[in-house]
Amino acid sequence: MRFRGRAKHGTPSADAPPAAQPPAEAAPAGPPPVLVIDALGRKCPIPIIMLAERIREVPVGQVVAVLADDAAARTDVPAWCRMKSQDFVREETLGQGGWGFHIRRTY
């Protein structure tokens, strides 16, 4: 059985959309971090503890990045930001695995 939009042997069908081009490398959104905390390979709650200990090194209004590969950090970092009234700027996926979490210090 053949589905609409699929062709045999990898050839595009007449009604298939043109092949998408790979996305161009986009510049990261927002300001670059003043401090990068490498918590790769560390399990919860160590990335949060490292962030809490070092955020005071960043001037108010500036951004700190936390690199972590523990899946719990994806919920823990934004939750910590809400609890501590810090701005969670964004999450980005790292090429080597894990995520980069950008936090703006508010006080």
Side-chain angles (χ1 to χ4, degrees):
M1 182 160 103
R2 203 171 107 181
F3 295 98
R4 182 178 166 188
R6 292 188 185 174
K8 291 174 90 175
H9 306 295
T11 58
S13 68
D15 60 346
Q21 295 294 325
E25 288 293 320
V34 174
L35 173 67
V36 177
I37 300 170
D38 186 354
L40 293 169
R42 310 274 180 113
K43 298 294 179 197
C44 178
I46 300 302
I48 296 298
I49 292 170
M50 294 172 77
L51 172 60
E53 288 176 343
R54 300 203 54 204
I55 195 164
R56 290 180 293 278
E57 297 174 25
V58 176
V60 172
Q62 297 298 312
V63 174
V64 59
V66 178
L67 309 181
D69 52 6
D70 181 13
R74 294 186 78 190
T75 54
D76 290 352
V77 173
W80 182 88
C81 290
R82 286 189 303 274
M83 185 175 70
K84 296 296 184 178
S85 299
Q86 303 294 343
D87 288 337
F88 182 78
V89 177
R90 75 176 190 275
E91 171 189 314
E92 62 185 7
T93 302
L94 303 177
Q96 73 269 25
W99 304 272
F101 305 99
H102 292 240
I103 299 102
R104 181 174 294 109
R105 184 177 175 196
T106 58
Y107 61 91

PDB file of all heavy atoms in Angstrom, residues 24-46:
ATOM      1  N   ALA A  24      19.820  27.385   8.444  1.00  0.00           N
ATOM      2  CA  ALA A  24      21.099  28.080   8.552  1.00  0.00           C
ATOM      3  C   ALA A  24      21.438  28.246  10.028  1.00  0.00           C
ATOM      4  O   ALA A  24      20.555  28.311  10.875  1.00  0.00           O
ATOM      5  CB  ALA A  24      21.008  29.440   7.868  1.00  0.00           C
ATOM      6  N   GLU A  25      22.716  28.308  10.321  1.00  0.00           N
ATOM      7  CA  GLU A  25      23.138  28.510  11.705  1.00  0.00           C
ATOM      8  C   GLU A  25      22.646  29.885  12.156  1.00  0.00           C
ATOM      9  O   GLU A  25      23.051  30.908  11.610  1.00  0.00           O
ATOM     10  CB  GLU A  25      24.664  28.449  11.813  1.00  0.00           C
ATOM     11  CG  GLU A  25      25.231  27.064  11.638  1.00  0.00           C
ATOM     12  CD  GLU A  25      24.842  26.130  12.768  1.00  0.00           C
ATOM     13  OE1 GLU A  25      24.838  26.574  13.932  1.00  0.00           O
ATOM     14  OE2 GLU A  25      24.535  24.975  12.485  1.00  0.00           O
ATOM     15  N   ALA A  26      21.773  29.889  13.114  1.00  0.00           N
ATOM     16  CA  ALA A  26      21.224  31.138  13.624  1.00  0.00           C
ATOM     17  C   ALA A  26      22.033  31.596  14.828  1.00  0.00           C
ATOM     18  O   ALA A  26      22.501  30.778  15.611  1.00  0.00           O
ATOM     19  CB  ALA A  26      19.766  30.947  14.023  1.00  0.00           C
ATOM     20  N   ALA A  27      22.184  32.880  14.946  1.00  0.00           N
ATOM     21  CA  ALA A  27      22.868  33.424  16.114  1.00  0.00           C
ATOM     22  C   ALA A  27      21.999  33.196  17.335  1.00  0.00           C
ATOM     23  O   ALA A  27      20.771  33.264  17.249  1.00  0.00           O
ATOM     24  CB  ALA A  27      23.120  34.918  15.929  1.00  0.00           C
ATOM     25  N   PRO A  28      22.595  32.879  18.486  1.00  0.00           N
ATOM     26  CA  PRO A  28      21.779  32.650  19.677  1.00  0.00           C
ATOM     27  C   PRO A  28      21.001  33.905  20.046  1.00  0.00           C
ATOM     28  O   PRO A  28      21.484  35.017  19.898  1.00  0.00           O
ATOM     29  CB  PRO A  28      22.790  32.283  20.762  1.00  0.00           C
ATOM     30  CG  PRO A  28      24.135  32.602  20.206  1.00  0.00           C
ATOM     31  CD  PRO A  28      24.010  32.739  18.728  1.00  0.00           C
ATOM     32  N   ALA A  29      19.782  33.694  20.500  1.00  0.00           N
ATOM     33  CA  ALA A  29      18.931  34.810  20.889  1.00  0.00           C
ATOM     34  C   ALA A  29      19.364  35.334  22.249  1.00  0.00           C
ATOM     35  O   ALA A  29      19.712  34.569  23.134  1.00  0.00           O
ATOM     36  CB  ALA A  29      17.480  34.361  20.943  1.00  0.00           C
ATOM     37  N   GLY A  30      19.328  36.629  22.395  1.00  0.00           N
ATOM     38  CA  GLY A  30      19.648  37.223  23.687  1.00  0.00           C
ATOM     39  C   GLY A  30      21.137  37.463  23.870  1.00  0.00           C
ATOM     40  O   GLY A  30      21.960  37.075  23.058  1.00  0.00           O
ATOM     41  N   PRO A  31      21.465  38.111  24.975  1.00  0.00           N
ATOM     42  CA  PRO A  31      22.870  38.450  25.235  1.00  0.00           C
ATOM     43  C   PRO A  31      23.680  37.205  25.594  1.00  0.00           C
ATOM     44  O   PRO A  31      23.144  36.235  26.126  1.00  0.00           O
ATOM     45  CB  PRO A  31      22.775  39.408  26.425  1.00  0.00           C
ATOM     46  CG  PRO A  31      21.512  39.025  27.115  1.00  0.00           C
ATOM     47  CD  PRO A  31      20.574  38.586  26.025  1.00  0.00           C
ATOM     48  N   PRO A  32      24.979  37.237  25.311  1.00  0.00           N
ATOM     49  CA  PRO A  32      25.819  36.100  25.689  1.00  0.00           C
ATOM     50  C   PRO A  32      25.985  36.049  27.208  1.00  0.00           C
ATOM     51  O   PRO A  32      25.927  37.075  27.885  1.00  0.00           O
ATOM     52  CB  PRO A  32      27.158  36.401  25.013  1.00  0.00           C
ATOM     53  CG  PRO A  32      27.173  37.878  24.847  1.00  0.00           C
ATOM     54  CD  PRO A  32      25.737  38.292  24.655  1.00  0.00           C
ATOM     55  N   PRO A  33      26.173  34.863  27.760  1.00  0.00           N
ATOM     56  CA  PRO A  33      26.332  34.758  29.215  1.00  0.00           C
ATOM     57  C   PRO A  33      27.654  35.343  29.681  1.00  0.00           C
ATOM     58  O   PRO A  33      28.669  35.240  28.995  1.00  0.00           O
ATOM     59  CB  PRO A  33      26.264  33.254  29.476  1.00  0.00           C
ATOM     60  CG  PRO A  33      26.604  32.614  28.180  1.00  0.00           C
ATOM     61  CD  PRO A  33      26.181  33.555  27.103  1.00  0.00           C
ATOM     62  N   VAL A  34      27.623  35.979  30.843  1.00  0.00           N
ATOM     63  CA  VAL A  34      28.827  36.514  31.478  1.00  0.00           C
ATOM     64  C   VAL A  34      29.587  35.381  32.162  1.00  0.00           C
ATOM     65  O   VAL A  34      30.811  35.407  32.250  1.00  0.00           O
ATOM     66  CB  VAL A  34      28.433  37.616  32.498  1.00  0.00           C
ATOM     67  CG1 VAL A  34      29.620  38.089  33.292  1.00  0.00           C
ATOM     68  CG2 VAL A  34      27.764  38.771  31.787  1.00  0.00           C
ATOM     69  N   LEU A  35      28.851  34.380  32.626  1.00  0.00           N
ATOM     70  CA  LEU A  35      29.419  33.244  33.349  1.00  0.00           C
ATOM     71  C   LEU A  35      28.779  31.965  32.829  1.00  0.00           C
ATOM     72  O   LEU A  35      27.568  31.921  32.622  1.00  0.00           O
ATOM     73  CB  LEU A  35      29.135  33.380  34.854  1.00  0.00           C
ATOM     74  CG  LEU A  35      29.509  32.210  35.756  1.00  0.00           C
ATOM     75  CD1 LEU A  35      31.023  32.026  35.809  1.00  0.00           C
ATOM     76  CD2 LEU A  35      28.955  32.422  37.153  1.00  0.00           C
ATOM     77  N   VAL A  36      29.599  30.939  32.590  1.00  0.00           N
ATOM     78  CA  VAL A  36      29.097  29.629  32.182  1.00  0.00           C
ATOM     79  C   VAL A  36      29.471  28.631  33.270  1.00  0.00           C
ATOM     80  O   VAL A  36      30.644  28.489  33.624  1.00  0.00           O
ATOM     81  CB  VAL A  36      29.691  29.194  30.824  1.00  0.00           C
ATOM     82  CG1 VAL A  36      29.212  27.790  30.464  1.00  0.00           C
ATOM     83  CG2 VAL A  36      29.319  30.180  29.733  1.00  0.00           C
ATOM     84  N   ILE A  37      28.464  27.952  33.802  1.00  0.00           N
ATOM     85  CA  ILE A  37      28.667  26.941  34.838  1.00  0.00           C
ATOM     86  C   ILE A  37      28.540  25.574  34.175  1.00  0.00           C
ATOM     87  O   ILE A  37      27.483  25.223  33.660  1.00  0.00           O
ATOM     88  CB  ILE A  37      27.626  27.089  35.970  1.00  0.00           C
ATOM     89  CG1 ILE A  37      27.758  28.464  36.616  1.00  0.00           C
ATOM     90  CG2 ILE A  37      27.777  25.968  36.979  1.00  0.00           C
ATOM     91  CD1 ILE A  37      26.632  28.791  37.582  1.00  0.00           C
ATOM     92  N   ASP A  38      29.618  24.816  34.168  1.00  0.00           N
ATOM     93  CA  ASP A  38      29.628  23.500  33.537  1.00  0.00           C
ATOM     94  C   ASP A  38      29.242  22.440  34.561  1.00  0.00           C
ATOM     95  O   ASP A  38      30.047  22.045  35.396  1.00  0.00           O
ATOM     96  CB  ASP A  38      31.003  23.204  32.955  1.00  0.00           C
ATOM     97  CG  ASP A  38      31.041  21.914  32.162  1.00  0.00           C
ATOM     98  OD1 ASP A  38      30.032  21.178  32.148  1.00  0.00           O
ATOM     99  OD2 ASP A  38      32.087  21.635  31.550  1.00  0.00           O
ATOM    100  N   ALA A  39      27.998  21.984  34.483  1.00  0.00           N
ATOM    101  CA  ALA A  39      27.507  20.930  35.373  1.00  0.00           C
ATOM    102  C   ALA A  39      27.250  19.645  34.595  1.00  0.00           C
ATOM    103  O   ALA A  39      26.504  18.786  35.051  1.00  0.00           O
ATOM    104  CB  ALA A  39      26.244  21.397  36.083  1.00  0.00           C
ATOM    105  N   LEU A  40      27.886  19.511  33.429  1.00  0.00           N
ATOM    106  CA  LEU A  40      27.714  18.296  32.627  1.00  0.00           C
ATOM    107  C   LEU A  40      28.241  17.103  33.407  1.00  0.00           C
ATOM    108  O   LEU A  40      29.307  17.167  34.023  1.00  0.00           O
ATOM    109  CB  LEU A  40      28.443  18.439  31.290  1.00  0.00           C
ATOM    110  CG  LEU A  40      27.868  19.497  30.349  1.00  0.00           C
ATOM    111  CD1 LEU A  40      28.814  19.741  29.184  1.00  0.00           C
ATOM    112  CD2 LEU A  40      26.497  19.079  29.850  1.00  0.00           C
ATOM    113  N   GLY A  41      27.480  16.031  33.393  1.00  0.00           N
ATOM    114  CA  GLY A  41      27.869  14.828  34.110  1.00  0.00           C
ATOM    115  C   GLY A  41      27.466  14.813  35.574  1.00  0.00           C
ATOM    116  O   GLY A  41      27.682  13.829  36.265  1.00  0.00           O
ATOM    117  N   ARG A  42      26.900  15.890  36.055  1.00  0.00           N
ATOM    118  CA  ARG A  42      26.468  15.983  37.458  1.00  0.00           C
ATOM    119  C   ARG A  42      24.978  15.721  37.541  1.00  0.00           C
ATOM    120  O   ARG A  42      24.205  16.177  36.714  1.00  0.00           O
ATOM    121  CB  ARG A  42      26.756  17.365  38.026  1.00  0.00           C
ATOM    122  CG  ARG A  42      28.160  17.866  37.804  1.00  0.00           C
ATOM    123  CD  ARG A  42      29.077  17.380  38.891  1.00  0.00           C
ATOM    124  NE  ARG A  42      30.424  17.856  38.681  1.00  0.00           N
ATOM    125  CZ  ARG A  42      31.038  18.716  39.463  1.00  0.00           C
ATOM    126  NH1 ARG A  42      30.439  19.213  40.512  1.00  0.00           N
ATOM    127  NH2 ARG A  42      32.279  19.065  39.199  1.00  0.00           N
ATOM    128  N   LYS A  43      24.555  15.010  38.549  1.00  0.00           N
ATOM    129  CA  LYS A  43      23.150  14.676  38.737  1.00  0.00           C
ATOM    130  C   LYS A  43      22.472  15.688  39.654  1.00  0.00           C
ATOM    131  O   LYS A  43      23.114  16.389  40.429  1.00  0.00           O
ATOM    132  CB  LYS A  43      23.004  13.268  39.327  1.00  0.00           C
ATOM    133  CG  LYS A  43      23.554  12.176  38.441  1.00  0.00           C
ATOM    134  CD  LYS A  43      22.749  12.076  37.169  1.00  0.00           C
ATOM    135  CE  LYS A  43      23.313  11.005  36.257  1.00  0.00           C
ATOM    136  NZ  LYS A  43      22.840  11.118  34.902  1.00  0.00           N
ATOM    137  N   CYS A  44      21.164  15.722  39.555  1.00  0.00           N
ATOM    138  CA  CYS A  44      20.335  16.573  40.391  1.00  0.00           C
ATOM    139  C   CYS A  44      20.633  16.270  41.861  1.00  0.00           C
ATOM    140  O   CYS A  44      20.804  15.110  42.206  1.00  0.00           O
ATOM    141  CB  CYS A  44      18.876  16.278  40.077  1.00  0.00           C
ATOM    142  SG  CYS A  44      17.718  17.224  41.065  1.00  0.00           S
ATOM    143  N   PRO A  45      20.775  17.237  42.687  1.00  0.00           N
ATOM    144  CA  PRO A  45      20.516  18.671  42.541  1.00  0.00           C
ATOM    145  C   PRO A  45      21.786  19.504  42.329  1.00  0.00           C
ATOM    146  O   PRO A  45      21.767  20.719  42.510  1.00  0.00           O
ATOM    147  CB  PRO A  45      19.883  19.024  43.878  1.00  0.00           C
ATOM    148  CG  PRO A  45      20.646  18.181  44.857  1.00  0.00           C
ATOM    149  CD  PRO A  45      20.908  16.885  44.118  1.00  0.00           C
ATOM    150  N   ILE A  46      22.898  18.873  41.965  1.00  0.00           N
ATOM    151  CA  ILE A  46      24.173  19.583  41.865  1.00  0.00           C
ATOM    152  C   ILE A  46      24.121  20.781  40.900  1.00  0.00           C
ATOM    153  O   ILE A  46      24.636  21.852  41.249  1.00  0.00           O
ATOM    154  CB  ILE A  46      25.317  18.606  41.514  1.00  0.00           C
ATOM    155  CG1 ILE A  46      25.446  17.522  42.586  1.00  0.00           C
ATOM    156  CG2 ILE A  46      26.633  19.351  41.320  1.00  0.00           C
ATOM    157  CD1 ILE A  46      25.692  18.047  43.990  1.00  0.00           C
TER     158      ILE A  46
END
